[in-house]
Amino acid sequence: MDIRIPVADGDIGGYLAVPSGDGPFPAVVLIHDVLGLNQDAREITDRYAAAGYLALSPDLYSRGGMIRCVKRTFQDLFAREGRAFADIEAARVLVAGREDATGKVGVVGFCMGGGFALVAASRDFDASAPYYGQLPKDLSALDGSCPIVGSFGGKDFSLRGAAAKLEAALTERGIPHDVKEYPDAGHGFANHYRPAPLAALAKVTGMGYHAPSDSDAWHRVMAFFEEHLQPSVLK
């Protein structure tokens, strides 16, 4: 369902998917890619709910036109602070505070959202799953991070070497992690680009959905989240 998320300057849009059953449930905050809270983002949110997680996707572009919001959101990402991070925290607080929530919350992000998920890992989340997210220039941003399960495409030339760099940084810091690079996948391998012209353009540029890599990454994330987000009594 579409919902409103209370934030400091009013409220922003979001999409909430609730598992069947009575709960309580662990939760995830999902951070969309550069294309915004579109149908693909909603379907991914539903997928997490079907797996037993309270799933909430905040719309980081709620306050105006997409072009202006993209610029502002990336500025916040590079600065590692600002309104976008406040919106993500507001989403975490909302979903963690529900009566049907356990209080454990993971963060998942794709592309731009993956960069946010990496930075947010050192804040109040219990596990983080960045998909092909840009690493912070200063890796000290990873200090004190929660457990991280990261997924990258070997054909993603915009993030060449990022998986190995993240693996080394997390190992050095003693942060529990599972980082994997998929040699046959490019950028956006877990996303469905729509409409058809956009999907065709993505394919030409080496981006787009790659089912085997998405399937393997999904199972890795589910196993990782079960370990770090599920109550011990349910294991």
Side-chain angles (χ1 to χ4, degrees), residues 11-72:
D11 58 58
I12 62 170
Y15 180 76
L16 174 69
V18 179
S20 59
D22 298 326
F25 308 104
V28 292
V29 171
L30 295 111
I31 309 172
H32 59 70
D33 63 14
V34 69
L35 298 178
L37 185 54
N38 54 19
Q39 183 59 31
D40 179 53
R42 286 174 165 82
E43 290 173 0
I44 292 172
T45 309
D46 290 338
R47 189 182 190 188
Y48 275 85
Y53 293 88
L54 284 166
L56 176 59
S57 291
D59 183 359
L60 301 185
Y61 299 162
S62 287
R63 295 179 180 84
M66 181 176 177
I67 293 177
R68 183 180 66 178
C69 287
V70 167
K71 180 180 179 181
R72 173 65 184 267

Side-chain angles (χ1 to χ4, degrees), residues 116-147:
F116 277 104
L118 275 170
V119 177
S122 62
R123 304 190 179 184
D124 291 320
F125 288 97
D126 298 293
S128 174
Y131 280 76
Y132 29 87
Q134 182 174 342
L135 273 60
K137 289 184 178 180
D138 182 358
L139 292 178
S140 67
L142 299 173
D143 293 351
S145 289
C146 63

